[in-house]
Structures are given as C-alpha cells and as structure tokens.
Amino acid sequence: MGKKRIEIIAGKETYENLATFHSIDKLNETVRTYKETYKDQLNKTDIAVLDILHRHSAKYTGVSFLTKNSIAKMVDRTRRTIVNICNKLESLGILKQYATKRKSDMQQTSNAIAILPIQDSEQEVKNEESNQNFTQETQKISHQKNNIFLKQKHNINHLNMINASKRTPYIKLVPKNLQHYQAFLGDKIKILYGRVWLAMKKLDVHIDKDIMQTIAHIAFDKLVDYIKEGRNLTAEQMNKIVYTISYNQLSEREDTKDIVKDQQAITRALILLDQPSENKKAPSLSLFADVIGV
C-alpha cells in the first residue's frame, strides 16, 4: 500500500480550525477526566506525554504541534517510545494525530495533535446541525453528514471495545492495560501475551514490564488492524504474528537493542567457557570484549 498523501498544510489557520475546545477550563476538565477514566491503562510515561501535550495546547485550545523528538527530550525517552505512546493515546480515543506538511516546500512536518473532547462525535453532530444551511449546498451537506457518520462509527467501535472489556471477566497474568483487547481477541490474549514473553526468553534478556506491555500493544494493535480488514487468522497465525513482532521489537528498539546485544555477547562467552578442554587455561579477556569494551 502506497504512502497516504498529506493534505493538511501546517499553519495558524489550520491549528485554529483543528482547535477542539472553546475554553482552557473545559480542556483542563477533559484531561483530568481522561486520567481518571484510564488510570489503570496509562503508565507514568503515558501520563507525562499527555501532560506535555496538554500544556502546549493553550494557544490553539486543544491542539499542539510539538515534534516527537521534542517530546522525547522532555520525558527522557526515545522518539520511537513517544510515537508508540501517541498511538496508544489515539487508540484510546484521547487524542487525534493529523499529518501535516509545510507550505514552503510541501514536505512533511510535525503532526498536529488534538486532544479530543469527551463524546466528541455527538458534539460535532450538534454543531453541524446548527451551522448547516439546509436550503443551499445540498451536496456539500451530504458529504459532511457522511464524515460525521464515519466519526460516529469510529467512536462507537471504541466505546464497544471498552464496554466489552468491562463485561468480560478479568484474565489472569494479562496486565490491566491490555484487558480491553478481549473485545477483538477474546481469551486468546493470555496465550498471545505469553508469546511476547517467549520472545524475551528466546533472546535471553529481561526487560522492564512497561516496555514489554508497550511491545504487546504494538503487536495486538496489528492483529486488530488485520481483523478490521476482514482477515480470517487462525490461532497459530496470531501466535506467530505476535511472536515475530515482539522478537523484532526487542532486537530493533532503541531502548532494548543494546540490552539484547550485550546479553548475546555474555551468552557466547559463557558457552566458550563451558566447552571441555584438555589443557584448560584462564579465559582470555577477548572473550568478553563485547561486554567490557576491551
């Protein structure tokens, strides 16, 4: 699939049009509500990123345009981590990211990130009904209604996902912030989450649980995308997809690839030490070159 064409030009007028709140007080209230609603699904870094977006959404109320690199420096994390967190917040319906391009050269620039009002689609319907001129531009109005319907459908799917997770029983050994995937994956999430840990075991490393859960989010989101596309995946195919994504993430992420590399160097050195030898000598420091940097 080709890269999606970017239509939105970054600038004052765009940010004003994307603004999602009429007052700072309403924005503040909404962010507080999101933190309380998703307190079991948001970790400290997730909340720190949301707070940064919140603080930088005052000029155009509800909209910010910080680069992912700038946010990464503010919370002392990698750019990839910030991308994953923003995608997670978007999947929860907390924010919406808009790809934009510069007017000067029409090249891609930082996303405009809008914090969404609660029950956003319902408010949009009211605004459209109050502003539409029913005697003119019939074709334009029809197009607007179709857009509203699509936004409503997206939010309804999101609400169904949350409600389904509340109706279904809690699955042991699966973190709370992954439980909502039951709406799409059912009780398979327990085995699928096990594949994330299997990838870690295969690489013989121990990773912080927050990173492991972020990797699981990435893998599960991919499965959900496939399901929404209508793909009929077997349980075995799902297991392979999650394992492969997790293995690759651990090996390639900026915050884990060095850990994997160091652990593999240690493992190689220990295997060499355990090999039988008739004239066993003290091990050369070169065996541990990758580990101690000699």
Side-chain angles (χ1 to χ4, degrees), residues 188 191-192 195 232-241:
K188 297 186 188 73
I191 296 175
L192 292 170
R195 290 301 182 276
N232 187 18
L233 300 173
T234 66
E236 183 180 0
Q237 288 173 324
M238 288 185 179
N239 291 339
K240 287 182 178 179
I241 290 170

Side-chain angles (χ1 to χ4, degrees), residues 5-249:
R5 184 178 178 182
I6 299 174
E7 301 291 349
I8 302 176
I9 297 176
K12 179 181 177 181
E13 184 177 358
T14 294
Y15 301 138
E16 288 175 346
N17 289 334
L18 291 175
T20 46
F21 294 89
H22 295 297
S23 70
I24 294 293
D25 288 342
K26 189 61 179 177
L27 170 62
N28 296 341
E29 179 187 343
T30 297
V31 172
R32 285 195 298 269
T33 301
Y34 279 138
K35 288 181 182 179
E36 178 62 26
T37 302
Y38 297 107
K39 61 183 178 182
D40 292 334
Q41 299 183 44
L42 300 178
N43 58 40
K44 290 181 180 179
T45 308
D46 298 335
I47 293 174
V49 170
L50 178 57
D51 285 340
I52 288 172
L53 296 174
H54 179 197
R55 290 198 303 270
H56 287 79
S57 297
K59 184 174 181 179
Y60 306 102
T61 319
V63 178
S64 58
F65 42 92
L66 286 172
T67 65
K68 299 295 193 300
N69 285 330
S70 297
I71 300 172
K73 290 178 182 178
M74 292 178 186
V75 296
D76 194 23
R77 293 291 188 274
T78 65
R79 181 183 183 280
R80 172 49 53 187
T81 297
I82 303 307
V83 170
N84 292 336
I85 290 174
C86 287
N87 289 341
K88 175 182 175 181
L89 294 174
E90 187 168 28
S91 72
L92 291 172
I94 295 174
L95 56 81
K96 175 69 176 175
Q97 301 178 86
Y98 298 92
T100 66
K101 58 186 177 182
R102 292 185 293 269
K103 186 176 182 179
S104 58
D105 57 8
M106 292 301 173
Q107 296 299 308
Q108 185 170 4
T109 185
S110 59
N111 286 350
I113 303 178
I115 297 173
L116 297 177
I118 297 170
Q119 296 180 340
D120 183 54
S121 63
E122 182 176 326
Q123 186 61 44
E124 286 184 10
V125 172
K126 292 179 181 178
N127 290 341
E128 289 293 338
E129 288 178 350
S130 62
N131 294 328
Q132 285 174 354
N133 185 336
F134 291 101
T135 61
Q136 299 177 0
E137 301 180 347
T138 305
Q139 187 174 5
K140 181 179 178 181
I141 292 172
S142 176
H143 176 68
Q144 289 172 334
K145 287 183 177 179
N146 286 337
N147 285 340
I148 294 168
F149 172 75
L150 290 174
K151 291 175 183 177
Q152 285 178 308
K153 184 177 180 181
H154 168 77
N155 285 334
I156 289 170
N157 286 340
H158 170 64
L159 290 173
N160 286 341
M161 189 173 180
I162 295 174
N163 291 335
S165 67
K166 291 180 179 179
R167 291 193 298 269
T168 51
Y170 185 88
I171 296 181
K172 293 181 180 179
L173 304 181
V174 176
K176 288 182 179 180
N177 62 357
L178 296 175
Q179 293 286 329
H180 64 278
Y181 284 101
Q182 286 189 68
F184 286 94
L185 306 175
D187 58 8
K188 297 186 188 73
I189 60 170
K190 183 175 182 179
I191 296 175
L192 292 170
Y193 189 59
R195 290 301 182 276
V196 181
W197 287 95
L198 183 62
M200 184 181 74
K201 184 176 180 182
K202 182 70 174 177
L203 290 168
D204 197 20
V205 294
H206 296 284
I207 305 298
D208 183 88
K209 66 178 182 179
D210 287 340
I211 297 177
M212 293 304 299
Q213 290 174 23
T214 299
I215 292 174
H217 270 293
I218 295 170
F220 290 2
D221 281 344
K222 193 62 179 177
L223 284 182
V224 170
D225 287 342
Y226 285 151
I227 291 170
K228 288 180 177 179
E229 290 172 4
R231 300 192 190 186
N232 187 18
L233 300 173
T234 66
E236 183 180 0
Q237 288 173 324
M238 288 185 179
N239 291 339
K240 287 182 178 179
I241 290 170
V242 171
Y243 176 82
T244 302
I245 292 175
S246 301
Y247 189 97
N248 291 340
Q249 283 286 315

